[in-house]
Structures are given as C-alpha cells and as structure tokens.
Amino acid sequence: MSTNAPAIVWFRNDLRLADHAALNAAIEAGRPLLPLFILDEAAPDRWAMGGASRWWLHHSLTSLRQSLAERGGHLTLRRGDSVAIMTEIAGQTGAAELFTGGSADPWARRVEQAVADGFGGKVARMRTSTLFHPDLVRTKGGGAYGVYTPFANACLALGGPKPPLPAPTEIRAAKPPRSERLEDWDLLPRKPDWAGGLRDTWTPGETGAMERAEAFLEHAMRGYAAARDRPAGDGTSMLSPHLHFGEISAVQLWHMAHRGSGGKGREIFIRELLWREFCANLLWHHPDLPEAPLKREFANMPWRDDKPALAAWQQGRTGVPIVDAGMRQLWRIGWMHNRVRMIVASFLIKHLMIPWQEGEAWFWDTLVDADLASNSGNWQWVAGCGADAAPYFRIFNPVLQGCKFDADGDYVRQFVPELARLDSRHLHAPWQAPADALEAAGVRLGETYPNPIVDLAAGRERALSAYADIRSSG
C-alpha cells in the first residue's frame, strides 16, 4: 500500500505531543498524519464525563489543536460512536494505519477493541498513559499484585521507564476530513457559570502542565515530604488533572523528578506516581473496581440511605469544619487536597455510613482529575474494601486531623469564611467552643453555621459495630 495513504493518530487520554509513543510511531511510519479526537459519550450513565472534566477537556483540546497547527498538523474533532466514526473516516481518507494509546478504563478498552476489529488496516496500540504496561508488572506466580508495596518494588526493580520521547518539530499532515467545531460541543457551563474558580486556578494543556511541573519540581520538591500534608499551603504538585488528561506523562515526571538531588521528597513523589500506577493496574485486572468491593464481604455492609446527610456532605454543610472546607474547595476549583480527600471520604463512609460509591460518584462529577482508576481505587482504599486497603477500623477523627494538619486554621478560614473570626483553639470543633467565644466570632450554631449532622463518637461506634457484624457473618 502506498505510503501516501494517511495514518490516523487517535488521541484519547493523552492530549500532548511530547512523549507520545503513538504519535511518534506514526511519524516514523512515514505517512501523512490525520490526528483525531472522538467525543464518544456512550459510557455507562454513572461514568459519563462530569461537568468539571468537560470544562477541562474543552481547554485541553484547544491547546492540543494549537500545538498541532504550529507544526503543520490539523486536529479533526468528531462526536458520536467511535466505531462508526472511525469506519467513516477510514473509508473517506483511505487511511492505512491507526495509531493510538491505551486505557485501563474497561469501557474504553471495549471501544478500543471494537474500533481495532473494524479497522481495515494495521492497528498499533501503544502505552501513553502509564509508566509500564499493566501486564508487565506481575507477581512471581504470574498473577496481579493486590498489595501496593510489593507492586511498587516490582516496578522499581524494572529500572524505571525509558526516557521520554521529544515532541515532533514538524508534522506531515494529510488532507483532513470534516471536523466539528469544539465550541458546538457545549463542554463549558452556560448559566449559571460555575467555572470561575477553575479558570482562576488552572491552565489546561501541555504548556500549562509543563509549567506547573517545572515550578513544583524546582521549588517545592525539597519540602514535599512535610508540606504535602498541609492543605493550606502549596505543598502538593497539583498535577493530577494534567496527568489524567495526558497533557504530561508519568514517564516525563519520573525523569524530571530524577534530575538533580531530590532527597526524601523525590522518593515520596515517585511513590505517589507508583500509587497511581497501582490503581491503573487494579482497574486493568478488576474491571468492576468502580462498582463492587474487592473484598466481597463488604457487599453485606448495612449502609444507610440518608439523602439529607449526603446532600449536606456534598454542599459542605456537615457542621464539621475540615470536612466542609474540603467539600467547598472541591466545588470551587474542581480539586481537593489529598489529605482532606481522605478525611472527607472517611467521614462519609464511616461516620455517616453512606456507601463509598456515592462519594466516588460525586467526586467523578466534580473533580477536574476524575480518573476512573484512581477514583475507584482510592475510595475503596478508604472504605477498607479494596486492595491494600486501610483497615475499616481506621476511622479518621476529623477534629484531630484538622488540628494536626491545619493547626492555624488557614485552610478552614479560606473555604468556611463564616468561621473566620473563631479562635484557632475552637475552629475545628466549634460546637465545643464557649458561648462567649462563639459570640465574639459572630458564630451562631444552627444559624450562621450548622451543628454537626452526626455525633462523631457515636458515628464511629456505629461503623465499628457494622464492621464487626459483617466479619462475624462472613
């Protein structure tokens, strides 16, 4: 077949040009390129793309389109069924080869296979979103890892991923087929426009990802070990949405982190990258991870159907300041500090006894870094029902967590301004504050700020009792 027949580069969760194995292989094939992104919205309703992710996708595609254009390429945008669109475009253009990255998402894997089965030419599926292929990291018996530390050690024993590929300087473009207008996809909010906090916080796209990575690795890495647990500071990388959309690769970050001397901070950062890898590995081998507990006895947990409590949690109106601060941060900027994610998840699952799947679904809709593997893996970890999970009887005390990691109260004051004037000694448990302290701060419990929706001690005992029951019945 003539080398003038184009090659399709199917972008998915790898919206970048640097370290893109599929794009690089397509260029090496010597064919004119047809870069393509398909907005396929046929995913199961529960896992349809949330509003925050749609906002991010719009801006990420804008960035990718510009980057391709600067190198002579053209991004074709189509919306609908991936198989039908790929068949149509291949037929119209005579495309001889298809290059694409992979995903651990079970629905995306089914779509990928269906597209490959229907494509008339050569299909090359490359690794673009993880450090290693999930089937490469196996136990000595050939099985999948279920515990993080042996998994991480196995990854480290591989010697690290190969150096990242450079971005192409020029793209030989094929004549593009019909493309839709990104603006017609309605990915951005209309009225009310709730995305102001997202615009103020994030710069989606490959350039924004690299700028954030460089700033973090240059200025914050040395203090990362201690600063990453303090939500009021700027101690975390905040790279998770860029990683999810593939605007920067885990491989790039791995090698960037190994520049110079990183000390303890670098070691912890690499372990965080490997935790992300672990979650992707879990989803690859357990496609029902987003829906069903890995520890099957947790299917018998006597969860509560408490819609008012769930709504209070979602809105940041639980009466527990560190929980409310986290949930309001999530709503404002589409992201929440990792330490606080654990606190709010523990509160929902254990103090309120509301199923972890409800929290997982809310995060999916509101996070700009809503990654199916990390989201489901982390919620199962907190719930105690996943791989290498925190024991169910490990129940975060949100008051103690707030006092320890937000001792000055700066985080709570930022996101729960109705408590801003309350003395730090009382900030994380205002229901225990003396009446004169509340009055001086202008706080009227039950009016300006809610009373706690659950007694923390009683909620803890209820959770422990439920856990003991399913263990004894199992």
Side-chain angles (χ1 to χ4, degrees):
M1 187 176 290
S2 169
T3 56
N4 288 323
I8 296 174
V9 181
W10 182 18
F11 286 91
R12 297 160 76 195
N13 59 340
D14 43 21
L15 305 181
R16 65 180 184 277
L17 301 187
D19 195 42
H20 199 296
L23 174 62
N24 189 71
I27 291 173
E28 289 186 346
R31 298 184 182 280
L33 300 191
L34 201 163
L36 171 68
F37 180 86
I38 301 173
L39 179 62
D40 191 332
E41 299 173 290
D45 288 343
R46 185 177 179 86
W47 307 119
M49 190 181 299
S53 293
R54 291 168 68 86
W55 176 89
W56 192 288
L57 177 64
H58 175 97
H59 294 291
S60 190
L61 288 173
T62 299
S63 174
L64 178 63
R65 182 172 57 187
Q66 180 178 341
S67 295
L68 285 166
E70 291 170 352
R71 293 161 173 81
H74 182 279
L75 180 63
T76 296
L77 300 173
R78 296 292 295 273
R79 184 178 195 168
D81 180 78
S82 295
V83 176
I85 290 171
M86 194 68 73
T87 301
E88 174 191 334
I89 289 178
Q92 290 175 350
T93 64
E97 296 184 80
L98 169 63
F99 296 84
T100 189
S103 172
D105 181 323
W107 174 77
R109 289 173 66 186
R110 290 194 295 271
V111 171
E112 175 188 314
Q113 187 59 54
V115 166
D117 290 343
F119 191 77
K122 175 185 174 184
V123 178
R125 287 178 276 192
M126 324 290 285
R127 176 182 52 80
T128 60
S129 60
T130 56
L131 294 166
F132 309 101
H133 191 283
D135 285 331
L136 181 63
V137 187
R138 293 278 192 169
T139 65
K140 291 181 179 179
Y145 281 97
V147 179
Y148 167 71
T149 298
F151 173 85
N153 290 339
C155 290
L156 293 170
L158 293 173
K162 294 180 180 179
L165 299 162
T169 57
E170 186 177 354
I171 291 175
R172 178 188 172 204
K175 180 181 179 181
R178 177 182 65 86
S179 178
E180 298 174 10
R181 282 170 29 94
L182 178 61
E183 295 72 19
D184 293 338
W185 284 2
D186 289 329
L187 297 175
L188 301 178
R190 294 188 176 183
K191 293 183 179 179
D193 180 4
W194 43 261
L198 276 65
R199 288 191 295 270
D200 292 343
T201 306
W202 305 102
T203 305
E206 188 170 7
T207 299
M210 187 58 67
E211 288 175 351
R212 186 176 287 275
E214 291 283 7
F216 169 73
L217 293 168
E218 180 179 352
H219 301 296
M221 178 62 81
R222 289 187 180 276
Y224 180 62
R228 69 192 185 105
D229 273 326
R230 296 195 291 269
D234 193 19
T236 63
S237 71
M238 295 182 73
L239 285 165
S240 51
H242 297 290
L243 273 168
H244 167 65
F245 284 92
E247 299 166 346
I248 194 168
S249 73
V251 172
Q252 287 173 287
L253 287 176
W254 178 287
H255 286 279
M256 290 172 71
H258 281 88
R259 297 187 315 213
S261 57
K264 185 68 173 177
R266 178 172 66 193
E267 178 184 336
I268 293 174
F269 184 70
I270 292 297
R271 290 281 174 172
E272 293 291 336
L273 288 178
L274 290 174
W275 177 263
R276 176 181 179 271
E277 193 85 0
F278 181 54
C279 289
N281 199 273
L282 287 175
L283 183 60
W284 180 271
H285 295 290
H286 304 279
D288 62 349
L289 185 72
E291 306 284 352
L294 288 182
K295 296 180 180 177
R296 298 306 184 187
E297 66 268 24
F298 277 80
N300 299 320
M301 182 68 79
W303 300 114
R304 298 173 61 245
D305 181 13
D306 190 339
K307 290 181 175 56
L310 176 61
W313 178 82
Q314 292 170 337
Q315 296 164 12
R317 300 285 298 169
T318 68
V320 181
I322 191 72
V323 173
D324 292 342
M327 298 308 295
R328 296 185 196 187
Q329 180 185 35
L330 171 60
W331 185 255
R332 186 181 302 178
I333 69 171
W335 182 89
M336 189 192 304
H337 187 275
N338 186 60
R339 166 62 57 173
V340 186
R341 293 190 196 202
M342 292 188 285
I343 296 170
V344 303
S346 177
F347 182 82
L348 180 77
I349 297 166
K350 297 172 181 178
H351 282 101
L352 298 181
M353 284 292 294
I354 290 175
W356 58 269
Q357 292 96 331
E358 292 286 359
E360 178 193 24
W362 183 251
F363 272 28
W364 179 259
D365 189 49
T366 54
L367 281 171
V368 289
D369 62 1
D371 180 88
L372 193 64
S374 294
N375 194 34
S376 52
N378 287 329
W379 273 95
Q380 289 223 34
W381 182 85
V382 175
C385 60
D388 201 18
Y392 189 81
F393 54 78
R394 183 187 182 192
I395 300 175
F396 283 110
N397 182 314
V399 175
L400 297 181
Q401 290 282 309
C403 291
K404 181 176 181 180
F405 297 110
D406 188 34
D408 295 329
D410 293 340
Y411 180 73
V412 165
R413 289 190 175 90
Q414 180 181 359
F415 293 103
V416 190
E418 57 266 46
L419 298 179
R421 292 163 51 199
L422 193 59
D423 190 281
S424 297
R425 294 172 297 172
H426 312 301
L427 186 63
H428 291 289
W431 60 91
Q432 296 176 352
D436 59 345
L438 293 172
E439 183 178 358
V443 177
R444 297 186 301 279
L445 294 179
E447 297 180 31
T448 63
Y449 185 70
N451 284 297
I453 62 174
V454 63
D455 179 277
L456 296 180
R460 181 178 187 277
E461 290 305 314
R462 178 175 59 189
L464 292 175
S465 176
Y467 177 59
D469 287 346
I470 66 165
R471 289 202 62 177
S472 61
S473 65

